[in-house]
Amino acid sequence: MHLRQDIQRVSGSRPRLVTDQKKLKRYTLIAGQIGKSPLIDRLIAERQIDVSAIANQWEGYLIQVVRNPVEGVDQGLVIAGTDRRGTAYGIYEVSEQIGVSPWYWWADVPVRERESLYIHRDTRVVDWPRVRYRGIFLNDEAPALTNWVKEKYGDYNHKFYEKVFELMMRLKANYLWPAMWNNAFSDDDPLNMVRAHEYGIVMGTSHHEPMMRADKEWNRYGKDFGSGAARGAWDYATNPEGLYDFWLQGAKRNKPYDSIYTLGMRGQEDTPMSEEQNIGLLETIVNDQRQILGKVFDGRPLSEVPQVWALYKEVQGYYENGMRVPEDVTLLWADDNWGNIRRLPTPEERSRSGGAGVYYHFDYVGGPRSYRWINVTPIAKVWEQMNLAYAYGANRIWLVNVGDLKPQEFPTEFFLRMAWNPDAWPKERLQEFGELWAAREFGGAYAREIAALVQGYSRHNGRRKPELVEADTYSQHHYNEAMRVYTELAELSRRADDLYRKIDSQYRDAFFQLVLYPVKASAAVSQLYISTARNRLYASQGRAEANDYAQKARELFALDADLSEQFHRINGGKWNHMMSQPHIGYTHWNNPPANTLPALAHYRPHSEADMGVTVEGGDDFWPAAANLALPEFSPYGETSHTIEIFNRGTRPFDFAVTTSAPWIRVSTTEGTVKQHTLPLSVAIDWEKAPAGRHRETVDIRGTGWGSAKIQVSSFKPDVSSGEDVQGYVEADGYISIEAAGFTHKRDGAHGGWEEIPLHGRTRSSIAVFPVSDRVYEDPIHAPYVEYDLTLFTTGQVRVQTLAAPSLNFQPQRGLRYAIALDDGEPQVVDILADLSKGAWETAVKDGVRKSQSVHRVDNAGRHTLRIYALDPGVTLQKILIDTGGLKPSYLGPPQSQFVERRLVKNPTLEKKP
């Protein structure tokens, strides 16, 4: 049915559907399941099609053009599936190739019409999934999705789920955990389960809903399954008979349908079962649940009834403390709810017949703060973690919590496409994935720019989720960080607006949903908090324009609301309610009842002229503070620093600037300040500046007693030629290096450091590939990367690494690297040395884990920093070398200047016997 509709959408003509091959015309499409379609089986027997590549493959399909497949047919496009889902996936693949996006309904992506459709005569496509069950979980679905569903469908009934099932099949997914906050899939509408089975969707229930019974079903019917004093209690210690019967009914109800039965038990509403682990009780529960399945499915081996044990939160502790389930049960390992996988199979566990899987999150309700509003997960982050999962044998189930589904279109599709075939999407194709996705949805003309916009906003949200952003997140004082972020987001918004105006009008609804809204709304939230911080800072300094930033914050708050309303009006209100999740004004782990404007400061300037002067780097200002100093200047550091002259009153005043040295340059030497801050750029003429360290002043005279004297420190190394300075050069008391900017590397016999493009908060990341179990105890044998440095400071220096917030996904193993300066003894650093809850919360909020080592520099000049890989899974983003001047900031300073880069060498270690 869908293929006929899709062909009609594209061509305007609806093909005939025939089941009698005598009625076939010269050109035809033949689709059927191997072993169940006589025509497909005959083509195989006559060797007109070769299906050996997919023989015995789960959900495999062949698409091939065949000449004269049957009498009277000149050419036929044959789709042969190894099972019913494989056949369907082959059909939907054709739909996508002719121009129907999987998101044609869910994101209003227009179908590109064509007068003719052509298929190359040599077409032959063979494919099958590498991960057996690939699915999504609709969760945390109120208020947005639930209110939309109630308005459009009345409830979570089969009419709604048919849209979900179709999307899943088009994305080659096959497994669903349904919405369950206030609903029960099988109980709400008896046709829900029927339609799921008809579409080919394997149904399950979430990690805390055993045996195909929804949590809300116990609320509705639990009293009918209790007895005595424990009547209706969700407690197997006191009410085993009631719960046994409750679960038995669930298994009986779902027997006719494809299902995966969740085993085990948690407390109601996704809480721990008890304050203390009771392994014996949980083992009894699992044994009884398997007994139920044995009774219900008495005609087949229990090992053929799909079962999963979700090792979520405290349940993983049961496993780590010795509890086991039969090996035919799939172990579903979970992430930490923030995209970092907690555990993966050991080499011994990889041989279990039930296999293993991963339960991942794009959305979460819980600490340290809920995030439910919009896409916050860059696909590079998904790739890095799920590539580990695949390499470690977790390939039976990949399931992702997509929240309301609508805001998560891009990462959801990447997750499912990667699940279909992880090998097809290596890290080198992450950029290409975005461009191919954009070209399919909007045409090729702007695909690269659209991909850059999507990757831009998702990288920004991956730095810190919007719900976690606060006024002091980005530094107002150091490295111009807050304004760099503000400007970056403003530029993304501008580019998105420009493209929205240029793109063909038929794409605008889809473009708004998938690109423009997330870009502009993400920018608005961060810019709101940055403006709030500036308002508070300016008010504390008594700047007349403090209120301007309060007004800017109010405008951005209103913009956020306006963007949501625009979203709700798309396509005649098709998506009303979808962006109604509160996301501004968090004060604890859960969202406020409505978006809340942050508290703003109000400043009432007096009516006189009153000069204030401040410099980058702090809150202090003249005349309240007399000793102001700019950051130290270096020919290898920032080219300029800023002094700000502002008015604390409303009457304009004139100012004049002088310098104590002729080689200090200022952007202006006189002017008038009205009500807006006047920035004064200060730089050094290095050709005229003397070598060595010097302290001079910039003198600013305006209103009030005396003048503001700003200290200007400079350091010009006394070197005879540029050859004495090489690599990353110290300036202003630090060196900042993006991890992928290594100058040399040496691979080991089992792999080496490689870049993960688009991964991390700034440029990218590096990790060791291929992924393996290899652990290096002695750094001398380990692969390493090196960074050439020039240091002018001697004595102790601190090296801080910023790494992905990955977890110790193998027992009795950390995430260690070794680090050495020059010929020093390598120091072993464990990124996970602190496994406290507080350290974890900081890491997931910041999007990085910070580690530190201390080294001694005996001589100024050229040095080498070397980082060795010890444990698999270490993913480095940035390296900060603090020689005494590193200032606090969220992202760290931009990368330091690099002088005379040399070619990267890549010798390989010899294998040791």
Side-chain angles (χ1 to χ4, degrees), residues 100-133:
V100 180
S101 166
W103 300 97
Y104 80 94
W105 191 87
W106 276 97
D108 300 311
V109 177
V111 174
R112 276 169 276 171
E113 298 177 2
R114 294 176 171 88
E115 292 185 3
S116 301
L117 292 172
Y118 297 93
I119 300 170
H120 196 281
R121 63 186 177 185
D122 296 328
T123 293
R124 176 179 164 83
V125 178
V126 178
D127 211 352
W128 66 93
R130 277 52 168 186
V131 176
R132 191 174 185 87
Y133 297 105

Side-chain angles (χ1 to χ4, degrees), residues 818-891:
I819 184 168
L821 187 64
D822 300 326
D823 297 325
E825 183 74 18
Q827 301 179 37
V828 175
V829 179
D830 190 347
I831 295 168
L832 297 175
D834 184 354
L835 286 174
S836 67
K837 181 181 178 182
W840 170 79
E841 287 188 343
T842 298
V844 296
K845 287 191 291 186
D846 292 349
V848 292
R849 276 201 184 245
K850 299 176 181 178
S851 300
Q852 186 171 273
S853 55
V854 179
H855 307 262
R856 182 167 184 80
V857 178
D858 292 325
N859 301 298
R862 289 160 54 176
H863 297 271
T864 299
L865 184 71
R866 181 180 290 180
I867 299 180
Y868 303 83
L870 299 184
D871 291 326
V874 173
T875 304
L876 299 180
Q877 298 185 11
K878 199 163 190 170
I879 301 157
L880 301 174
I881 303 172
D882 183 3
T883 61
L886 184 67
K887 304 296 193 301
S889 64
Y890 187 72
L891 299 174

Side-chain angles (χ1 to χ4, degrees), residues 417-428:
R417 297 296 190 189
M418 187 178 175
W420 178 265
N421 185 1
D423 294 328
W425 296 107
K427 60 186 185 301
E428 292 79 10

